[in-house]
Amino acid sequence: MFDLFHSLSLSLALLLLFPFFFFISIAAQSNDTNFPGCFSYRCANINISYPFWRMDSETPTQYCGYEGFGINCSNNGEEDVPIAYLGDDSYYVHNISYDPKWIALVDYDVSPVVPPDVCPRVRHNIDLGDMPFNFWGQNVNLSFHFNCTGVPYFAHEIKCLSNPTNKSCVHSLNEEPANFNWTEYSCDEAVLTTVFDVFSSINALEPEFPRALRQGFELNWGRTEDCEKCEDSGGRCGYNSNTREHMCFCSGGKTTTGHCNGTFVKT
Ligand SMILES: *[C@@H]1O[C@H](CO)[C@@H](O)[C@H](O)[C@H]1NC(C)=O
Ligand SMILES: *[C@@H]1O[C@H](CO)[C@@H](O)[C@H](O)[C@H]1NC(C)=O
Ligand SMILES: *[C@@H]1O[C@H](CO)[C@@H](O)[C@H](O)[C@H]1NC(C)=O
Ligand SMILES: *[C@@H]1O[C@H](CO)[C@@H](O)[C@H](O)[C@H]1NC(C)=O
Ligand SMILES: *[C@@H]1O[C@H](CO)[C@@H](O)[C@H](O)[C@H]1NC(C)=O
Ligand SMILES: *[C@@H]1O[C@H](CO)[C@@H](O)[C@H](O)[C@H]1NC(C)=O
Ligand SMILES: *[C@@H]1O[C@H](CO)[C@@H](O)[C@H](O)[C@H]1NC(C)=O
Ligand SMILES: *[C@@H]1O[C@H](CO)[C@@H](O)[C@H](O)[C@H]1NC(C)=O
Ligand SMILES: *[C@@H]1O[C@H](CO)[C@@H](O)[C@H](O)[C@H]1NC(C)=O
């Protein structure tokens, strides 16, 4: 395995000769020589490694990694911005830990890469769909209601999103009585989201929710069912979007639609 220093000094040597090579090799982190079809990258300060994969650099039809785990390393003109997708929504990738397995995400609309909004307005729920993700860590489910005719007693009015006729509010889902009927409040829209519990108290929800939204939430991940056979045989899962087939990248470089010949070794 190449370490960063060697790969950097190699890059530096190449820079003098071939500026183009420098550009390519600095984008890459150490690749696992056992899996020549599986690449690791660095995007901003995030490690993108299996089961995540970099969307904009893999061959467009085939990748080594889990379905839906693609990370778009886009550039906003100033810096690289790692973006993950859940459903149709974009999330800024704050951090990834491979052991234990978790990914820290921030709703892109309220993330540090967009101009800060003193009064952020969430636009969508977190849609995990059938992805193998679970919320991880100490979190709070925040329920937002916008443009209502009033604020129920257990909710906290968001003053900067309210006016004398239309009220917006936030509350922790735990504060809401069972079977509460929102009909009489005639809200325009309701959004449910999950954040790290960074609140000093439940009464501080209203002044502190913008900060909580910017810190985001963590998900841990498990394996997809299609993937188990491949990984248990020592391989890494992938997908070919052309043939719509699940792929298995085996140690040594073979790629199969089945599984490898080895047994699972935890790396
Ligand atoms: C890692 O893989 C990428 C993509 O093919 C390649 O450009 C790069 O040279 C590799 N890096 C190392 C350190 O092997
Ligand atoms: C990134 O991945 C490399 C190789 O797996 C590892 O050595 C390094 O510590 C990781 N860096 C971070 C910040 O996680
Ligand atoms: C990556 O993000 C950029 C900026 O949002 C977008 O233009 C591009 O289409 C995205 N790429 C992929 C593969 O989704
Ligand atoms: C990412 O998480 C690791 C492990 O918890 C931590 O040491 C590191 O500081 C975090 N990086 C960022 C940018 O938050
Ligand atoms: C928040 O909602 C998620 C998904 O419905 C659930 O798994 C989690 O346990 C809830 N968290 C709390 C603190 O209630
Ligand atoms: C409330 O409704 C008005 C008019 O439709 C809209 O402009 C405004 O953005 C809404 N406010 C919120 C917080 O959704
Ligand atoms: C209040 O909300 C209603 C319904 O969305 C909208 O038609 C109206 O313009 C809003 N009024 C104000 C003052 O925001
Ligand atoms: C909520 O209350 C309204 C009338 O205020 C009623 O028409 C509606 O059926 C109620 N919904 C539920 C789920 O109880
Ligand atoms: C598994 O072993 C068989 C027999 O040696 C060989 O034909 C096949 O190509 C191997 N498959 C993989 C994915 O390595």
Side-chain angles (χ1 to χ4, degrees), residues 10 26 49 88 91 143 155 200 232 234 237 241 247:
L10 176 66
I26 199 151
S49 297
D88 294 329
Y91 293 84
S143 176
S200 49
D232 287 346
C237 299
S241 49
M247 306 298 298

Side-chain angles (χ1 to χ4, degrees), residues 6-84:
H6 282 102
S7 117
L8 275 179
S9 46
L10 176 66
S11 303
L12 219 55
L14 287 173
L15 171 66
L16 303 172
L17 302 168
F18 312 107
F20 181 64
F21 282 6
F22 176 75
F23 179 72
I24 291 185
S25 60
I26 199 151
Q29 260 231 312
S30 52
N31 296 320
D32 189 334
T33 50
N34 286 328
F35 295 98
C38 301
F39 306 113
S40 295
Y41 297 97
R42 206 167 175 79
C43 180
N45 56 356
I46 303 298
N47 249 354
I48 303 175
S49 297
Y50 183 78
F52 296 94
W53 47 280
R54 202 172 91 163
M55 285 178 108
D56 45 353
S57 65
E58 304 283 330
T59 50
T61 56
Q62 184 169 300
Y63 55 79
C64 174
Y66 293 177
E67 243 182 306
F69 279 47
I71 292 177
N72 181 356
C73 189
S74 70
N75 190 289
N76 66 3
E78 282 173 29
E79 50 181 346
D80 285 339
V81 178
I83 299 171

